[in-house]
Amino acid sequence: MRRVIITLFLLSAGILFFKNTPQEPDIHAQLRQRILEAELGSTTAVLFAKNPDIPVPSQEPLSNVVQQLADDSPVQRWQAADELVKRADTRAVDALIAAMLDPSGTRRVCVMASALGKLKDPRALSALTHAAFDPNNRDLRLCAIQSLGMINDRKAVPTLIRAVQERNMPIAAANALAKLGDERAVNVLMETANDPELSLWMINALGELGAASAILYLRGLSETPQNRQLQRATKEALWKLSILSNEHPIETLQQVLAQDQVTSRRSWAAYKLGERKSNQSASALIQALQDKQTEVSSRAAAALVITGEAVLPSIRQAFQNADSNPWLTAILGYLGKQDDTVVLRRLVKLQEKAATVAEVSLTMIERRESVSGLESIVPEITGGLPANTQN
C-alpha cells in the first residue's frame, strides 16, 4: 500500500511539473537574456529574478520618467530606472547617480547602479566606485561592481583589483576584470586563486582575461594535485588562453565558432567575438545563427547586437541572400532604423512564426524612433550626490 501511495504521489508531482513547466521563451526573450548575460561578462546562463523585459520604451515624456526617480513609491523609482535603460538615453545619467546615492533611505538602489552600467556612460565611474565600497549596502556593492565592468572602461581596473584584494564581492569583481581584459589584473587573480573558496572562480577569470602572462601559472597548477572540478577548469582556462593570446584571436575565434564540435566552446567563441565588437566577425556570427544548438545561435545573435550598428549592412544583406532567419529579424529590433521597417512590415503579413517576431521588432524600432529626441531638457535631481563623486 505504501508503494502505491508513493507511486501516486510521484505521478501527481510529475503531472504538476509538466503542467507548470513554462513554455520555451520566445526568440526576443532569449536574445534579451543573452545580451544581459554578455553585459555582465558571463559565458554561462544567468538566472535573473524575473524574465528580462524586451526594451520597448513607453511614450511617457522623458522629463516625467526622470522625475519618477525621486517618487515616494519604490516601485515607481525602479520602473523609471528600467524605462531609462530601455531608452538608452544618457541624458539621465546624473539623475540616476543622484537616485543611487540618495542618503534618505531609498531602497533597492542596486537597481539604479545596474541602470548606470547598462547605459555604459563613463561619467558614472566615479559614483559607482564610491558605491562599490558602501559599508552598509551589500546589494549596492554587488551591482556597482558589476556595472563597473559593464561600462567597459579600463579606468575601473584599480577599483576592481582593490575589490578582489579586500574580498569585496570578489567573484563579481574578477568577472568584471576578465571582461575588461586588462593584464594588470593577472597577479591579483593568481594570488586569490590560492584561496580554496575562490580558486575555481579566479581560474575561470584568468582564462577569460586572455593574458599570456597567466599561462605559466596555469600550467604549473595543472601539474599539481587538484580535485576534478579544478582540473577541468584549469584545462579549459589554458585552452581559452591559447585562443585569446595568439596573434590573430578574432580569426581563431571564428574557426572555433564554425568548426569546434563542443557546443559550449562554439557558444563561448560567439560571446568573445561580440565582446570585441569587430565588424570583421559579422559574417561568421551571421552564419552561426544557423547553428542547430540554440545556445550557440542565441549567443551569436547577442554578439551581433552588442557589436552594434556597424553590422547592419551585413544583416540587411543576409535578408536579401536567404530566407529570413528569426534571429536576424529579432536583431533588427535592436539595431534597425526606419528604413528597415519595410522588410519587417512585409514579414508581419506572413501567417507564421516569422510574423510574430517581425511584429515585435517593428514595435521596437518605431517606439525607439518616436521617443528619441522628444525633449532636450532633463529635470535636475541633485539630492544626495556627494561632492567628491560629481563628474
Side-chain angles (χ1 to χ4, degrees), residues 74-120:
V75 174
Q76 288 294 322
R77 294 196 295 272
W78 308 338
Q79 290 177 346
D82 287 341
E83 175 65 23
L84 292 171
V85 170
K86 291 176 183 178
R87 297 182 184 217
D89 197 325
T90 57
R91 290 177 293 175
V93 164
D94 289 336
L96 278 166
I97 290 173
M100 178 182 72
L101 299 178
D102 181 2
S104 63
T106 299
R107 289 172 289 173
R108 291 287 300 277
V109 286
C110 175
V111 173
M112 308 300 170
S114 294
L116 287 167
K118 291 169 185 173
L119 288 179
K120 299 176 177 61

Side-chain angles (χ1 to χ4, degrees), residues 191-207:
E191 291 167 4
T192 311
N194 294 323
D195 184 338
E197 293 185 359
L198 295 172
S199 55
L200 178 63
W201 308 101
M202 299 303 120
I203 290 168
N204 288 337
L206 285 168

Side-chain angles (χ1 to χ4, degrees), residues 34 46 123 139 144 157 168 181 190 265 319 384:
R34 292 305 194 192
V46 175
R123 289 178 295 163
D139 288 344
V157 169
N168 175 21
M190 291 192 301
R265 287 185 170 181
F319 265 104

Side-chain angles (χ1 to χ4, degrees), residues 320-376:
Q320 295 177 10
N321 293 345
D323 292 336
S324 174
N325 180 292
W327 290 116
L328 287 171
T329 307
I331 291 166
L332 270 187
Y334 286 87
L335 302 180
K337 305 297 181 183
Q338 194 64 41
D339 292 345
D340 298 302
T341 59
V342 176
V343 67
L344 291 173
R345 287 195 180 93
R346 187 174 69 244
L347 290 174
V348 166
K349 295 178 181 179
L350 300 176
Q351 298 300 316
E352 54 186 54
K353 184 178 180 180
T356 303
V357 179
E359 190 168 9
V360 175
S361 288
L362 183 61
T363 301
M364 290 171 70
I365 294 174
E366 291 181 334
R367 189 67 62 81
R368 188 168 61 244
E369 295 282 339
S370 70
V371 301
S372 64
L374 279 179
E375 299 174 85
S376 59

Side-chain angles (χ1 to χ4, degrees), residues 98-150:
M100 178 182 72
L101 299 178
D102 181 2
S104 63
T106 299
R107 289 172 289 173
R108 291 287 300 277
V109 286
C110 175
V111 173
M112 308 300 170
S114 294
L116 287 167
K118 291 169 185 173
L119 288 179
K120 299 176 177 61
D121 193 310
R123 289 178 295 163
L125 284 173
S126 179
L128 287 168
T129 296
H130 178 87
F133 293 93
D134 187 299
N136 302 315
N137 194 324
R138 183 181 185 277
D139 288 344
L140 176 58
R141 295 200 305 274
L142 173 61
C143 291
I145 286 170
Q146 289 175 333
S147 289
L148 286 171
M150 287 186 210

